[in-house]
Amino acid sequence: MASLVLDQYLRCPVCMDFFADPHRLPCSHCFCKRCLEGVRQHCLSFNCPECRQLVVLDYRGIDGLEKDRRLAAMVDEFAHQQQQSRVCKEHKRTVEGYCETCAVLMCGRCFFSDQHSGHTMGDVDVVAKKKRDEISSDLGFIKGKVDSILSDTDVTVQSQLCALQDQITTEFEQIRELLRHKEESLRQEAIKLAEKASQGHDKMAKAQELKMKINDLEESITADGVSFLQSIAELKERVRIEKKLVLSLDSDYSDTRNICLPNLKHGDTELFLMSFRLAPSDPRLRIRKSSDGSEDLSYRLATQHVESNKHSAKLSFHTNLVLEKQMSPSPAVHAATFLSSGYLVLLDLNSTLLLFTENYTLLHELKLEDKAFDVTALSDHMLAVTIGAAKRVELIDVKDDTLQPNGKIELDTECFHVSCIDDKIVTGNGSLVSFFNVKGARLKTIIMSGMIQSLYISKSHRKMYLNIRSEYVLCADMRGNREYKYKHDDLQEIGGVTADNRSLAYACGSKSNNVHQVGPDGRLVRIILSKENGLTKPISVGFDSTCSKMFLIEKDDTLKEAVKVYSMNY
């Protein structure tokens, strides 16, 4: 038992094998060197696989961590003891056989000792094969029973699922048929109302004519007494005729006054849905609030039909890329940004900012004092550079084609990935997205669903695009509410993410050697760059302010990084 416990503690939590060249993290957890290389994925920061604490490396990478020589010695000693366990404990000789009666391993002397006289003994390999076959037979029986149970269960579930799908199809088809009948009924009522309204216009014209006649009669009865009495018989006859006419008009128009368009009331709709044992959640239904606060359900008989495609390729998102410039600065570059003037700013591993013109002529260099991690453009004349572990952002002025320090913003947390919106600095650290003003005051913090590996804020569409654990792209609004999650089998080890002014997202896969273009619905539009285009392990991507140029930072097999700039034609 003690040996089993020790075996557990001498294994790497990542590869589950005995430690090989173990290195100790600042949080005291140990891992194989090759496992740590795989976890960090060529980045200078990563999270401990055990406790998720952030680890920031220097320029030496994993070699800069402490080697755990004591742990390595324990692994070697344990392996030696395991080898010694194959020696007979009584005679200290190599094991050659096995006593089935005593269930112990034996050396050559044990075969002739009185202790095992008359016992059933045999060669180690022969006895092991016999015992192995016995256990395999029992395991085969158990596995057969388990497979039988799973098969029966799967058949039952599948039959129930098919029955449920048939029931859903049948019942919803009946609902749609009833809705079509109701729509036709309402349309017929509308046609009748239109006909009566047309008749009403004719009667209104007659009523206007009758009103003019009544005005004439009113003037006749205001004449002097002699004239009035002389025409009394004629006036009575005219009044009788007009009275008969107005009664006829009133009778014919009463139906038109009382007609209104029928509507589905709440009670009728509820009973209608209950008859099919359904909740009122079909997209063809909507709930309205009336003036008194009560709910009223009505049908929205939409004719729009939306097909569900695997890709968004049917949308007219055509993008052509032309390689405009390729640079290979030394030392390597790990971050970049465009200014609205078209100038390109690179940040290399020595924390040096490089300012290039739109024709890619180097104008100026600025060496920062501390280790810089990421850079973004706050405006055409201002850059923000994150100094991760130092918990601050340095502001850099771009003035007269030079880079000049313009102050520091002290934050209350470490900051690595950076973007900006509305004069606010947005940082990504761990699983937190934090918003700060230019004085360093925290405005709000959003907890995301996983570890943030890169971050981009779209100013035009006010969306966040995040690389989560290098596994998928998360698009969210400025409150952190998810718009979509994009994960694709052909996008491996995601590096940088960005978006253009058409709400198209771009994500580069450093392992899959490609760049995916993702539609606003979170589906693949197309792969715009791949290994066939000469792409080699892209780790970062970004656009200029007009989205007419795109930069890519890529790393080749010799760990040298290159910057490529493409012109974009839509």
Side-chain angles (χ1 to χ4, degrees):
M1 178 61 76
S3 177
L4 291 175
V5 172
L6 186 59
D7 177 275
Q8 176 183 355
Y9 283 100
L10 294 180
R11 291 183 182 272
C12 173
V14 175
C15 64
M16 301 309 294
D17 202 349
F18 289 112
F19 284 107
D21 193 10
H23 282 63
R24 184 179 297 276
L25 301 184
C27 58
S28 298
H29 291 119
C30 294
F31 304 92
C32 300
K33 179 181 179 181
R34 64 173 181 271
C35 294
L36 290 176
E37 291 288 357
V39 169
R40 79 181 186 106
Q41 299 176 351
H42 309 299
C43 298
L44 290 178
S45 68
F46 62 96
N47 297 92
C48 172
E50 281 282 296
C51 64
R52 309 305 298 170
Q53 179 177 325
L54 183 66
V55 179
V56 180
L57 304 174
D58 59 18
Y59 69 94
R60 294 174 296 175
I62 299 301
D63 291 332
L65 297 173
E66 176 189 359
K67 288 187 177 182
D68 198 327
R69 293 182 172 83
R70 180 173 295 179
L71 181 58
M74 291 177 63
V75 172
D76 293 339
E77 179 63 24
F78 182 76
H80 177 70
Q81 292 179 1
Q82 290 292 96
Q83 184 66 27
Q84 291 295 320
S85 65
R86 300 184 61 85
V87 175
C88 173
K89 295 180 180 179
E90 183 176 354
H91 302 106
K92 307 302 180 183
R93 301 183 65 179
T94 304
V95 169
E96 298 179 8
Y98 182 82
C99 177
E100 296 187 51
T101 305
C102 301
V104 295
L105 293 166
M106 304 185 305
C107 66
R109 289 187 181 181
C110 295
F111 275 99
F112 304 101
S113 67
D114 294 337
Q115 182 181 356
H116 299 286
S117 177
H119 291 182
T120 302
M121 296 175 289
D123 181 72
V124 170
D125 294 334
V126 174
V127 175
K129 183 180 183 305
K130 176 184 175 183
K131 299 296 183 183
R132 192 179 290 115
D133 291 342
E134 292 176 357
I135 295 177
S136 298
S137 177
D138 292 338
L139 289 177
F141 173 78
I142 296 172
K143 184 179 179 181
K145 288 294 184 182
V146 171
D147 291 342
S148 177
I149 293 171
L150 292 176
S151 176
D152 293 343
T153 303
D154 184 60
V155 171
T156 302
V157 171
Q158 288 297 329
S159 62
Q160 292 177 351
L161 178 60
C162 292
L164 178 59
Q165 290 175 337
D166 292 341
Q167 180 184 3
I168 292 173
T169 302
T170 301
E171 294 190 353
F172 271 89
E173 185 57 40
Q174 294 176 7
I175 291 175
R176 295 186 187 99
E177 185 64 27
L178 289 175
L179 289 175
R180 285 192 287 268
H181 284 307
K182 188 62 181 180
E183 179 189 21
E184 184 62 29
S185 175
L186 291 174
R187 291 186 185 279
Q188 292 299 325
E189 293 290 346
I191 292 173
K192 292 179 182 179
L193 179 61
E195 292 175 350
K196 289 188 177 294
S198 177
Q199 296 173 6
H201 286 303
D202 295 338
K203 292 180 174 61
M204 288 177 65
K206 293 180 180 178
Q208 289 291 343
E209 183 181 353
L210 180 58
K211 186 176 181 180
M212 295 176 62
K213 292 180 180 179
I214 293 172
N215 291 336
D216 292 340
L217 289 173
E218 288 177 341
E219 291 180 1
S220 298
I221 63 176
T222 59
D224 61 274
V226 175
S227 299
F228 173 71
L229 291 175
Q230 287 177 343
S231 58
I232 185 66
E234 180 185 355
L235 288 175
K236 284 185 175 181
E237 180 61 21
R238 289 178 60 186
V239 168
R240 185 186 67 78
I241 294 173
E242 304 303 341
K243 184 177 180 180
K244 182 179 179 180
L245 179 59
V246 75
L247 290 175
S248 174
L249 288 174
D250 183 64
S251 175
D252 292 341
Y253 195 59
S254 61
D255 293 338
T256 304
R257 289 201 308 265
N258 295 328
I259 287 294
C260 62
L261 184 63
N263 190 17
L264 291 172
K265 300 301 180 183
H266 173 69
D268 295 337
T269 306
E270 187 178 60
L271 291 174
F272 170 72
L273 293 175
M274 286 178 62
S275 66
F276 290 93
R277 302 182 301 282
L278 297 171
S281 58
D282 190 280
R284 294 173 177 80
L285 296 171
R286 62 170 178 252
I287 300 178
R288 302 181 302 188
K289 289 285 186 179
S290 60
S291 58
D292 60 357
S294 61
E295 291 184 348
D296 176 36
L297 278 71
S298 61
Y299 288 100
R300 175 167 53 89
L301 301 174
T303 58
Q304 182 181 4
H305 178 66
V306 181
E307 294 184 357
S308 176
N309 298 313
K310 183 177 180 181
H311 303 294
S312 296
K314 289 189 176 181
L315 302 176
S316 298
F317 297 137
H318 300 298
T319 308
N320 296 318
L321 291 87
V322 178
L323 181 61
E324 188 171 289
K325 182 67 175 179
Q326 179 170 339
M327 299 179 287
S328 299
S330 179
V333 172
H334 66 90
T337 188
F338 275 110
L339 297 172
S340 58
S341 61
Y343 283 16
L344 177 64
V345 179
L346 305 180
L347 176 63
D348 68 20
L349 293 177
N350 285 345
S351 299
T352 300
L353 288 170
L354 310 172
L355 178 63
F356 292 85
T357 67
E358 54 189 351
N359 295 322
Y360 312 110
T361 302
L362 180 62
L363 290 176
H364 192 247
E365 298 182 15
L366 176 64
K367 179 71 169 66
L368 302 177
E369 296 179 0
D370 296 314
K371 187 66 178 177
F373 195 88
D374 198 5
V375 60
T376 190
L378 293 179
S379 66
D380 191 34
H381 304 290
M382 184 72 70
L383 297 171
V385 183
T386 54
I387 312 297
K391 300 182 179 180
R392 75 171 184 269
V393 173
E394 293 195 5
L395 301 179
I396 307 297
D397 259 343
V398 184
K399 187 177 182 181
D400 298 330
D401 293 343
T402 61
L403 299 169
Q404 302 294 333
N406 188 30
K408 303 174 182 179
I409 301 176
E410 301 294 336
L411 306 180
D412 58 2
T413 183
E414 295 180 339
C415 55
F416 295 95
H417 313 288
V418 66
S419 189
C420 64
I421 186 170
D422 299 337
D423 296 327
K424 299 179 182 66
I425 298 173
V426 186
T427 67
N429 176 31
S431 60
L432 303 180
V433 176
S434 301
F435 293 72
F436 301 89
N437 61 21
V438 292
K439 295 182 179 180
R442 183 188 293 269
L443 303 177
K444 67 176 180 178
T445 296
I446 301 173
I447 302 176
M448 306 310 296
S449 58
M451 192 64 57
I452 300 169
Q453 298 294 343
S454 58
L455 162 72
Y456 175 76
I457 306 293
S458 171
K459 302 178 182 65
S460 58
H461 300 286
R462 306 188 70 81
K463 296 283 186 358
M464 296 190 293
Y465 298 87
L466 305 110
N467 167 11
I468 303 297
R469 296 194 299 271
S470 299
E471 297 176 359
Y472 61 88
V473 176
L474 180 65
C475 174
D477 62 21
M478 301 309 293
R479 293 185 177 182
N481 300 315
R482 188 172 79 176
E483 298 279 344
Y484 65 76
K485 170 183 174 182
Y486 179 75
K487 186 174 183 179
H488 199 281
D489 293 337
D490 196 29
L491 185 65
Q492 301 294 323
E493 292 186 10
I494 301 174
V497 293
T498 189
D500 63 15
N501 51 20
R502 300 179 299 166
S503 290
L504 295 177
Y506 298 78
C508 54
S510 60
K511 185 176 181 180
S512 51
N513 284 336
N514 53 24
V515 178
H516 282 214
Q517 186 183 56
V518 185
D521 57 355
R523 296 175 180 171
L524 175 65
V525 175
R526 68 188 182 109
I527 298 176
I528 61 172
L529 289 171
S530 65
K531 191 174 182 180
E532 286 71 21
N533 305 112
L535 205 61
T536 306
K537 296 183 179 179
I539 61 173
S540 184
V541 61
F543 285 98
D544 65 353
S545 59
T546 62
C547 295
S548 61
K549 292 183 179 181
M550 181 182 75
F551 73 80
L552 268 177
I553 301 176
E554 59 182 30
K555 183 179 299 183
D556 62 19
D557 294 331
T558 63
L559 301 183
K560 292 182 179 180
E561 293 176 347
V563 180
K564 293 181 179 179
V565 181
Y566 295 84
S567 60
M568 309 283 289
N569 298 314
Y570 297 99

